[in-house]
Amino acid sequence: MMQVCLNGSRTAADGVAVPLTPESMADSAARAVAAGAKDVHVHPKTPCGQDTLSPRVLAETLSAIRARVPVPVGVTTGAWAEPGPAARLERIRAWTVLPDHASVNWHEPGAEETAALLMERGVGVEAGIWSGTDGAERFAASPLGPRVLRVLAEVTDTDPLGAVSCAHALLSGIGTAHGRPVLLHGEDGGAWPVLRLAGRLGLATRVGLEDVLVLPDGKRAGSNGELVTAGLAEYAASRAGTEACRPGT
């Protein structure tokens, strides 16, 4: 499964390709799905371009995207969008239009409560387990672990060589992931090497302007659709290489 991550915490300073309004997010999502993305992850934005959990903004964003694509759409619940755990819960309780899923970073304060509320409201939970945090240990001990939609294994090392080693260590720390599917991805300099690793391992992955602004050849990406096209090609090539190395093939 290839997920497209449309914008993340990027701003207008990261270039005009980054979609910041509901309409531009919907257009970008449609082009990415046409290119082969099977799932959408988006950060709803205030008019000044900041991440938000506002019920009004969330409703506008989800409605615009769903009018253009037939695939699941998920959002962030990152602490930077609403720093206080109690305020974050209040925001989620006030949502009038629900996403199909939402990511919860397990190392952040209030993660268990956030995930529990999302599940109570019928929203799938992507458990964000970041390298360099205690997220894996906390998730392993969580009674909610078997109930999450999937685990997002998020490699934060942006060095191309270090990111692959970091990814292996992160996957080892996550272990069986309570039997849930794992989506492996990196960011910036580590994005493409980790995506190729996901291909070799046969794991779900994601690509988009949240994670990387350039194509595999280093050229600036013009859209999320371009990144998805390149990501699927890189994934397939890595997967084919793995299959070719198997005995009997």
Side-chain angles (χ1 to χ4, degrees), residues 16-18 28 209 213-215 219-227:
V16 296
V18 179
S28 189
L209 292 164
L213 297 173
V214 298
L215 297 166
K219 293 180 180 178
R220 188 87 172 186
S223 69
N224 279 302
E226 282 189 15
L227 287 170

Side-chain angles (χ1 to χ4, degrees), residues 174-186:
I174 291 172
T176 62
H178 291 288
R180 306 312 300 145
V182 174
L183 186 158
L184 176 67
H185 75 97

Side-chain angles (χ1 to χ4, degrees), residues 38 120 169:
K38 302 299 184 185
E120 180 184 316

Side-chain angles (χ1 to χ4, degrees), residues 3-228:
Q3 182 184 80
V4 61
C5 46
L6 295 178
N7 52 9
S9 298
R10 308 257 189 208
T11 68
D14 294 299
V16 296
V18 179
L20 301 176
T21 66
E23 294 75 18
S24 63
M25 293 176 208
D27 184 65
S28 189
R31 293 173 184 272
V33 169
K38 302 299 184 185
D39 192 279
V40 174
H41 173 76
V42 66
H43 290 208
K45 302 281 187 179
T46 65
C48 56
Q50 300 302 308
D51 288 2
T52 181
L53 304 185
S54 159
R56 179 184 60 79
V57 175
L58 194 86
E60 291 176 355
T61 301
L62 290 175
S63 297
I65 294 174
R66 284 174 170 155
R68 300 287 303 278
V69 303
V71 303
V73 182
V75 301
T76 184
T77 63
W80 59 88
E82 187 63 69
R88 195 175 315 137
L89 296 178
E90 287 304 308
R91 287 286 207 181
I92 294 170
R93 289 191 187 98
W95 286 353
T96 56
V97 177
L98 298 177
D100 295 288
H101 51 75
S103 60
V104 177
N105 299 319
W106 231 261
H107 65 280
E108 293 178 348
E112 292 276 339
E113 295 81 1
T114 299
L117 177 58
L118 289 165
M119 291 176 182
E120 180 184 316
R121 299 212 63 193
V123 177
V125 171
E126 295 181 309
I129 311 299
W130 292 21
S131 62
T133 73
D134 64 352
E137 292 82 359
R138 293 175 62 181
F139 182 70
S142 173
L144 300 178
R147 297 173 56 196
V148 304
L149 176 66
R150 59 178 158 256
V151 171
L152 297 183
E154 308 200 19
V155 178
T156 59
D157 189 336
T158 59
D159 175 74
L161 295 178
V164 173
S165 297
C166 185
H168 282 294
L170 177 60
L171 292 171
S172 177
I174 291 172
T176 62
H178 291 288
R180 306 312 300 145
V182 174
L183 186 158
L184 176 67
H185 75 97
E187 58 186 45
D188 293 323
W192 293 114
V194 173
L195 183 146
R196 295 183 192 105
L197 175 63
R200 292 194 293 274
L201 298 177
L203 296 175
T205 191
R206 78 180 200 185
V207 72
L209 292 164
E210 171 173 352
D211 287 348
V212 63
L213 297 173
V214 298
L215 297 166
D217 61 5
K219 293 180 180 178
R220 188 87 172 186
S223 69
N224 279 302
E226 282 189 15
L227 287 170
V228 169

